[in-house]
Amino acid sequence: MKRVPGRWSAPVLLAVLALAAGACSTQVERIEVGEVRDLSGRWNDTDSRLVSEEMVADLLSRPWVEDFRRREGRPPAVIVGEVLNLGHEHINVRTFVLDIERALINSGKVVFVASKTEREELREERRDQELHAREDTRKPMGRELGADFMLKGTINTIFDTEGRRQVRYYQVDLTLIDLADNRKVWLGQKKIKKFVTKPGLRP
Amino acid sequence: MSWSSGTVRRARLFCAAGVLVLSCSGCAGYRDWAGLLEQRLAAGDYDGALAVLERHGRRERDRLLYQLNRALLLRMKGEYRASNAAFEEAKRLMERLEAVSVREQAGALTVNELQRSYVPEDYERTLIHVFSALNYLALDQPLEARVEVLQLDQHLRQVKSEAEAGGAFGRYFSGLLFEALGERDQALVAYRQARLAYADYPDPDALAMPRQLQRDLLRLTRALGLIEEARRLQQDFGLESDDAPSGSQVDSEKEHASSSAEVALILFSGLVPPKREVWIDAVTEDGTLVTVALPELAARPIHVQGLSLEAAGRQARGEVVEDLAVLAAEALARRRPLMLARALARAALKHEAVARARQEHAGAGLLMNVVTAATERADTRSWSLLPGQIHLVRLSLPAGWQRLRVVLLDGAGRRVQQRSWRVHLAAGELRLLAWHWIDDEDLVWPQERDAAQPVIQPAAQRRTTH
């Protein structure tokens, strides 16, 4: 049996090393924010965006907006209250709430007021201005715009698993409540159902 | 230069032996260093324990075990956020490891069980959710804790036996959490499930349904107006009228709830029994040494075996709500037949390899035999930082600031340690608290091949031998 000529050894070794290195390194690819890529079947950015957009579109197409405008002669002021995650997954509810806020503000049909924590920070800033800001630039206390409606909601899930297959059902319920008399003026619901099959083999 | 075919075959055999040795370069067993980890933990040196874990526990196939041990150490250290990040990583790995690796299976069949990635037992998975939920409660994120309890429910729906999967305590804990969240209907469902799991407990001699759970079930059924069910429960449990308020007392209970609160303290005591390696050696007719290595559980004493909670002139004694020695023994017994089958298949393959090597060259045969015997290792990996026992004590107190005094007791009722907590309890609140206790007396080093050391057997085997 003949030995492999020495001049082949180095290139072959290098090629193998290069292949091995390629297989081990992390690959990064930039994708469009709107592109849908489901990796695990869990609630993801696409779900958050789609649900918020669809629910806000439904919310703004209902008669309560025009009824309020006719009655008060101005667009309604809305605040987003708590959206509770009552499901099986740790969901970043804050991202979802921000998606709703963005869709509502960008619609131009409603006025949006700052949340409870944001208001605290703003009041602190006004208190600071009273001491330190020039008089003609000070923003006085007591001139905040009060919200007319509060949007609240829950995220619920039902998961059904059998072996490697799983059905993941998400239900988002949002309610718009009139802060003047606690009337519920709009109820919105969006459901997402996913069928996930986990791989049977791994490396 | 040309090589004879005999030389090539011998070279191949030496290479095969080399590959076996190389593949087993990471064959240092978990127990070879886990003792150090437990020693640092018993001394309360969490940073030292984490350093030991970083040094020894980061093998690719032990990634999941590394995350579990890390998460628990971080929890005990009070770094709840980091602990939960580690638990989440562990869950992600668990999902990935549900798929079968042909390479690992082949390794387990030809080299040893350590070629497989560590996958936690069902009862270990249950406790991931319990600890994670407790972390979220400590971070004042009760709804995230609720998510963990729902995930725990998902997990327990998948297992064959809830009781063997730690479901008795898991369900009881879920009920407590739902009650703390004010969801009494959900709490009642969980308490009922816990009752079923305790009734199905693998070793009824080791653990009966806690008296506190009986009282909780009775109280909730009454509170929810299920008078008939409450009457049946009272009969089943043989509770006195003090434990079981009559229908007319329900209203006064509601009034009482508006000015009182409750504390439920969970004590995680000691360490779960470790696995140790036992070998079965035999010499075949052709003079080949055949070795089979299997894991078994070594008994480990638990120093703290009771607790009492005192506050505002009231006192309550805790009781054991989970015995992890029982769960670990059942889990190992369930896996044993498959492990034994793989070990025998492996022994046959290794014997064949030695015989072939011997045909080529006596020296090669001897070398191959040494290598095949040396590479035989049992899988002694387990989440060994888990507690040995879980205790629970629940006490009703007036709302407001309270100083809680917790006394830990040994098996003879002697005081081991005491601790005070100052807590503010809102009216109607149920506050869940947890304490981990491990000390030097919980550590017994597993002596390999020490026949004198007691071995834990599953309940079924114990019952038949007695």
Side-chain angles (χ1 to χ4, degrees):
Chain A
M1 184 184 173
K2 286 187 177 172
R3 276 198 297 171
V4 177
R7 64 174 182 277
W8 288 106
S9 306
V12 167
L13 186 66
L14 278 174
V16 168
L17 280 175
L19 277 173
C24 295
S25 62
T26 305
Q27 307 255 324
V28 179
E29 176 199 354
R30 299 208 184 279
I31 60 170
E32 288 297 316
V33 178
E35 192 176 326
V36 179
R37 282 210 189 172
D38 282 320
L39 298 175
S40 62
R42 294 194 195 95
W43 176 274
N44 58 22
D45 63 320
T46 308
D47 298 317
S48 177
R49 188 170 45 80
L50 290 179
V51 170
S52 58
E53 281 173 2
E54 281 185 37
M55 293 192 86
V56 168
D58 182 56
L59 171 76
L60 296 174
S61 67
R62 301 294 173 175
W64 69 274
V65 188
E66 281 312 307
D67 290 350
F68 185 88
R69 269 180 178 273
R70 244 191 330 270
R71 200 170 64 240
E72 302 292 332
R74 62 175 173 86
V78 178
I79 188 169
V80 176
E82 269 190 316
V83 176
L84 302 177
N85 170 25
L86 303 176
H88 294 73
E89 271 177 28
H90 294 290
I91 290 173
N92 189 345
V93 180
R94 179 133 186 81
T95 319
F96 179 61
V97 169
L98 286 173
D99 280 340
I100 292 174
E101 288 185 0
R102 182 182 48 77
L104 278 172
I105 294 168
N106 292 347
S107 74
K109 291 184 177 176
V110 296
V111 176
F112 214 79
V113 295
S115 70
K116 199 173 177 182
T117 33
E118 287 168 332
R119 285 201 304 273
E120 287 302 320
E121 192 184 354
L122 293 168
R123 283 169 196 161
E124 182 57 39
E125 173 60 24
R126 281 192 210 104
R127 269 192 289 275
D128 189 70
Q129 282 191 6
E130 276 181 11
L131 277 177
H132 305 289
R134 237 175 41 220
E135 198 174 346
D136 60 321
T137 60
R138 275 180 208 158
K139 306 294 176 292
M141 304 287 259
R143 295 182 62 183
E144 291 175 13
L145 175 65
D148 302 302
F149 297 93
M150 181 181 269
L151 192 64
K152 290 172 69 65
T154 55
I155 302 173
N156 277 288
T157 56
I158 301 171
F159 290 175
D160 189 17
T161 311
E162 177 61 49
R164 292 189 293 112
R165 294 175 305 167
Q166 188 179 51
V167 173
R168 302 168 87 97
Y169 173 82
Y170 299 86
Q171 182 174 313
V172 182
D173 289 280
L174 291 179
T175 310
L176 190 70
I177 304 167
D178 191 330
L179 284 169
D181 55 11
N182 294 344
R183 264 186 318 125
K184 292 187 176 180
V185 297
W186 173 80
L187 291 174
Q189 191 176 73
K190 171 77 184 154
K191 297 166 184 172
I192 296 175
K193 205 169 183 178
K194 298 180 183 181
F195 180 66
V196 182
T197 308
K198 292 176 191 167
L201 291 173
R202 65 182 161 87
Chain B
M1 179 184 161
S2 64
W3 290 343
S4 72
S5 60
T7 310
V8 171
R9 274 203 299 275
R10 272 196 294 279
R12 275 189 194 151
L13 284 167
F14 279 103
C15 283
V19 167
L20 269 175
V21 171
L22 279 175
S23 66
C24 205
S25 56
C27 282
Y30 176 70
R31 293 308 313 171
D32 295 345
W33 57 270
L36 280 174
L37 184 69
E38 291 156 9
Q39 211 175 22
R40 300 285 10 115
L41 179 61
D45 178 9
Y46 302 118
D47 289 327
L50 282 164
V52 171
L53 184 65
E54 289 297 324
R55 198 159 55 245
H56 300 284
R58 300 201 67 145
R59 280 182 45 198
E60 177 62 22
R61 283 177 188 139
D62 297 346
R63 272 170 71 200
L64 181 45
L65 186 55
Y66 163 78
Q67 292 295 350
L68 293 178
N69 278 326
R70 187 164 170 270
L72 197 48
L73 284 172
L74 287 168
R75 171 177 159 70
M76 292 183 200
K77 201 183 165 198
E79 293 185 16
Y80 303 115
R81 217 175 290 277
S83 171
N84 272 350
F87 276 131
E88 284 304 311
E89 177 62 17
K91 284 189 220 169
R92 201 184 58 76
L93 287 169
M94 261 180 344
E95 214 167 279
R96 235 190 87 212
L97 293 174
E98 276 174 18
V100 176
S101 164
V102 177
R103 187 163 53 97
E104 287 182 9
Q105 296 295 330
L109 210 57
T110 52
V111 184
N112 59 37
E113 293 280 337
L114 295 175
Q115 305 307 308
R116 290 147 56 91
S117 287
Y118 175 79
V119 178
E121 302 289 354
D122 286 340
Y123 74 91
E124 293 175 330
R125 288 172 191 241
T126 295
L127 285 162
I128 290 175
H129 299 294
V130 170
F131 290 129
S132 199
L134 286 169
N135 283 346
Y136 281 118
L137 287 180
L139 291 166
D140 198 20
Q141 294 179 281
L143 285 182
E144 298 303 316
R146 191 183 186 279
V147 169
E148 289 299 325
V149 164
L150 293 189
Q151 288 181 1
L152 171 57
D153 174 62
Q154 277 293 118
H155 160 59
L156 291 175
R157 282 170 192 234
Q158 308 294 312
V159 299
K160 279 187 183 145
S161 159
E162 284 204 8
E164 287 180 16
F169 171 67
R171 293 293 189 190
Y172 192 11
F173 173 78
S174 304
L176 289 169
L177 188 76
F178 280 127
E179 223 186 317
L181 291 166
E183 298 179 44
R184 294 192 298 180
D185 53 339
Q186 295 275 31
L188 179 60
V189 172
Y191 287 153
R192 283 177 184 154
Q193 289 169 320
R195 184 191 180 192
L196 291 176
Y198 278 113
D200 194 27
Y201 204 72
D203 186 357
D205 298 337
L207 189 62
M209 179 184 178
R211 201 72 174 155
Q212 183 61 53
L213 175 58
Q214 297 177 355
R215 286 194 287 268
D216 292 337
L217 260 170
L218 201 54
R219 186 176 35 75
L220 267 190
T221 45
R222 285 200 177 280
L224 292 170
L226 304 168
I227 304 301
E228 190 49 45
E229 185 178 345
R231 201 166 290 142
R232 272 203 313 275
L233 288 174
Q234 191 175 350
Q235 279 176 1
D236 291 352
F237 300 152
L239 287 173
E240 299 296 322
S241 54
D242 285 355
D243 292 320
S246 65
S248 60
Q249 284 177 288
V250 174
D251 289 340
S252 64
E253 248 192 16
K254 281 179 187 165
E255 283 169 28
H256 176 66
S258 64
S259 61
S260 72
E262 279 186 283
V263 169
L265 174 72
I266 301 166
L267 173 72
F268 299 103
S269 176
L271 290 169
V272 71
K275 285 180 188 167
R276 68 177 180 187
E277 204 166 27
V278 283
W279 285 279
I280 304 161
D281 296 329
V283 179
T284 58
E285 282 179 1
D286 61 1
T288 305
L289 173 67
V290 177
T291 302
V292 170
L294 289 169
E296 68 176 14
L297 281 183
R300 174 140 68 179
I302 293 169
H303 188 201
V304 168
Q305 297 198 19
L307 80 156
S308 76
L309 174 62
E310 297 164 32
R314 300 175 192 185
Q315 190 196 30
R317 288 293 290 260
E319 54 190 326
V320 179
V321 290
E322 191 60 274
D323 187 339
L324 276 90
V326 173
L327 303 184
E330 290 300 322
L332 187 57
R334 217 171 32 249
R335 281 185 190 254
R336 207 175 167 82
L338 198 58
M339 278 195 296
L340 187 61
R342 268 201 302 265
L344 293 176
R346 201 164 49 236
L349 283 172
K350 286 180 175 178
H351 178 260
E352 180 64 20
V354 173
R356 283 185 178 223
R358 194 178 289 125
Q359 278 172 9
E360 294 301 325
H361 190 276
L366 182 65
L367 175 67
M368 185 62 92
N369 200 176
V370 169
V371 169
T372 53
T375 53
E376 181 65 15
R377 298 297 307 261
D379 187 357
T380 54
R381 294 172 294 178
S382 67
W383 189 7
S384 62
L385 299 189
L386 283 179
Q389 280 182 344
I390 304 175
H391 299 247
L392 178 84
V393 61
R394 189 169 172 164
L395 185 63
S396 179
L397 292 166
W401 281 105
Q402 295 292 348
R403 182 173 291 280
L404 312 175
R405 185 166 161 265
V406 185
V407 180
L408 304 185
L409 307 161
D410 67 9
R414 288 184 297 254
R415 181 185 302 178
V416 174
Q417 179 65 270
Q418 75 170 48
R419 176 180 173 178
S420 287
W421 260 292
R422 196 165 143 73
V423 292
H424 184 268
L425 303 169
E429 180 185 0
L430 167 60
R431 178 76 59 90
L432 296 185
L433 298 169
W435 190 8
H436 294 257
W437 181 263
I438 302 145
D439 62 32
D440 288 342
E441 294 190 42
D442 289 314
L443 299 185
V444 170
W445 295 85
Q447 303 295 314
E448 307 289 354
R449 297 178 191 250
D450 181 359
Q453 195 183 3
V455 175
I456 297 179
Q457 289 180 335
Q461 286 182 30
R462 262 207 313 279
R463 278 198 291 275
T464 53
T465 51
H466 281 208

